[in-house]
Every structure is written in C-alpha cells, then in structure tokens.
Amino acid sequence: MAVKMPVPSPQPSPALFFETINAFQSSVALKAAIELDLFTAISEGAHSAGELARRCKASERGVRVLCDYLVVLGFLTKDQQRYGSTPDSATFLVRTSPAYLGDTTGFLCSTDAMRNYDDLTEVVRNGRRLEESTIAPESPLWVEFARSMSGFMMLPAELIAARLGAAQGPKWKVLDIAAGHGIFGITIARQNPNAEIVALDWPAVLEVAKENAAKFGVAARHRTIAG
C-alpha cells in the first residue's frame, strides 16, 4: 500500500516584506531614467555607460549604477558592458514611441499625489478620507493629470470608439463629462467626421482638452463647458 508522504511546508521568508518596503526605490529609479530620457537614448544607439552619460548629460558612474539597477528590475538588458531595452521598455518608455507612457510620471509620481499618503496610519486609525486638496477645482494637480495621462488613455479611447462604432459615421453629439484631457471625446471625433463633442470639466483642465482637440485636428467640432 502506497504511503502518501507529507508535503513540506515552505519556510517563512522576509522577501515580500523587503520587496514591498523598498518598492519606492524602484519607482524613483524608473522616474529618474524617464526624466534623463535613458530609454530613448538607448533606442538612438547609445549603449555603454559612457555613451549614455554623454547623451543624457549625466555622470558615467551615476548612469552605470542606475542602468544596473534597471537591469535587475527587468527594464533593461546587459551584455558585457552594453545596455539594451526590453520589448516592453522599447514600446512604452521610448519617447518617440506612439505608446509612450513616460509622461504619466508627471501625475502618478508628483509630490502632490504622493504626499496624500504621508500619514496613512492616521487616516486608517481615524477612518477619515485622504487629503482633499487634490479635488479642489483650482488644484494644479488636475491640470498635470490632464497633460500627463493623455498618452496613456489613447489605446482605451481607440477601443471604446471602435466598440461604439464611431467609424460608421453617424451624426452624434457627445457629452464628455469630466473630460480632463478630452482624449475620449476627441478620439470619437477623429473616427467619426460627423460627431460633435462637448467637453465638461473645470476651466483650467479644459484648456488641455482644447489643446488636444487642436492637436488632433477636431477643434472645429469640439467645444467646452466649464463646470
């Protein structure tokens, strides 16, 4: 008769604790690489620490340490002393890529956004909401959001417009509530030459939507209402 041997339980490990407690290091390292335009430099042919340092106007030692850390994180590859981009990095972190996401750090890693979590212990202890200054109509954070997140929303906007059948050209009048960057309404207008878009948001944020409407050639069919 076969005897089923007990499966040994895994030993407790502090790995998850250290990964989580140090996660901010990964965020700031990636933000620094984006601000230095490191991934774009690699795409343009700079691969050694020296070449990258000259291209990014940074110290060679600093670039080498940063690149090595990005290799560990999985954003870069390294062969001998030459660095390369991964497929993901080349797609989303090279400034000239149509899928570039680097601008999102302007909002996601902004001081205003991050300081809301400075005293999370007390927020949880008291059961109150996070700092409310970010939802004020005049908060510059939302203008930064509109500028930073436009590129990130392009693909979802394209998919939504396609799902709605915008390209079939029906005569639509679309109310884009909380329009922000305006990309969702603008994309519908781009796919549908008969669509008119009305964007509703705070006045300062709508200026970004107007810029994007002009950029994508639909300003004549795009108007705004300040809410």
Side-chain angles (χ1 to χ4, degrees), residues 92-160:
F92 300 115
L93 297 175
V94 173
R95 190 171 297 275
T96 53
S97 169
Y100 180 66
L101 296 180
D103 288 339
T104 62
T105 59
F107 174 74
L108 298 176
C109 296
S110 69
T111 301
D112 286 335
M114 296 177 71
R115 71 159 58 101
N116 289 330
Y117 299 92
D118 286 346
D119 198 19
L120 188 58
T121 304
E122 287 304 310
V123 171
V124 175
R125 182 173 284 140
N126 298 322
R128 59 182 173 83
R129 291 182 293 180
L130 291 172
E131 175 60 47
E132 296 183 358
S133 62
T134 56
I135 63 172
E138 300 305 318
S139 174
L141 182 65
W142 293 114
V143 177
E144 183 61 47
F145 168 83
R147 294 195 185 285
S148 298
M149 303 298 284
S150 298
F152 184 56
M153 290 293 106
M154 287 300 299
L155 179 57
E158 294 282 353
L159 294 174
I160 290 172

Side-chain angles (χ1 to χ4, degrees), residues 8 11 19 22 40 78 95 107 142 152 170 190-191 195 197-198:
Q11 293 296 314
E19 289 173 6
N22 291 317
T40 304
K78 187 176 184 181
R95 190 171 297 275
F107 174 74
W142 293 114
F152 184 56
R190 288 174 62 205
Q191 292 193 16
I197 313 299
V198 179

Side-chain angles (χ1 to χ4, degrees), residues 3-57:
V3 178
K4 186 176 182 180
M5 301 298 293
V7 178
S9 59
Q11 293 296 314
S13 170
L16 181 60
F17 167 78
F18 283 111
E19 289 173 6
T20 305
I21 207 69
N22 291 317
F24 72 96
Q25 297 177 359
S26 302
S27 299
V28 296
L30 180 57
K31 182 173 182 285
I34 290 169
E35 291 176 347
L36 290 167
D37 227 3
L38 190 70
F39 300 99
T40 304
I42 291 174
S43 75
E44 294 174 347
H47 294 285
S48 69
E51 291 169 345
L52 288 166
R54 288 188 291 274
R55 167 63 173 74
C56 298
K57 296 180 174 59

Side-chain angles (χ1 to χ4, degrees), residues 175-226:
L175 177 61
D176 189 354
I177 300 174
H181 38 64
I183 292 298
F184 291 99
I186 289 167
T187 302
I188 289 175
R190 288 174 62 205
Q191 292 193 16
N192 182 347
N194 296 310
E196 296 182 6
I197 313 299
V198 179
L200 172 65
D201 211 317
W202 290 324
V205 177
L206 287 174
E207 292 303 312
V208 181
K210 291 177 184 177
E211 292 172 11
N212 284 330
K215 175 183 176 181
F216 290 105
V218 298
R221 294 181 288 119
H222 185 278
R223 62 186 180 91
T224 61
I225 299 177

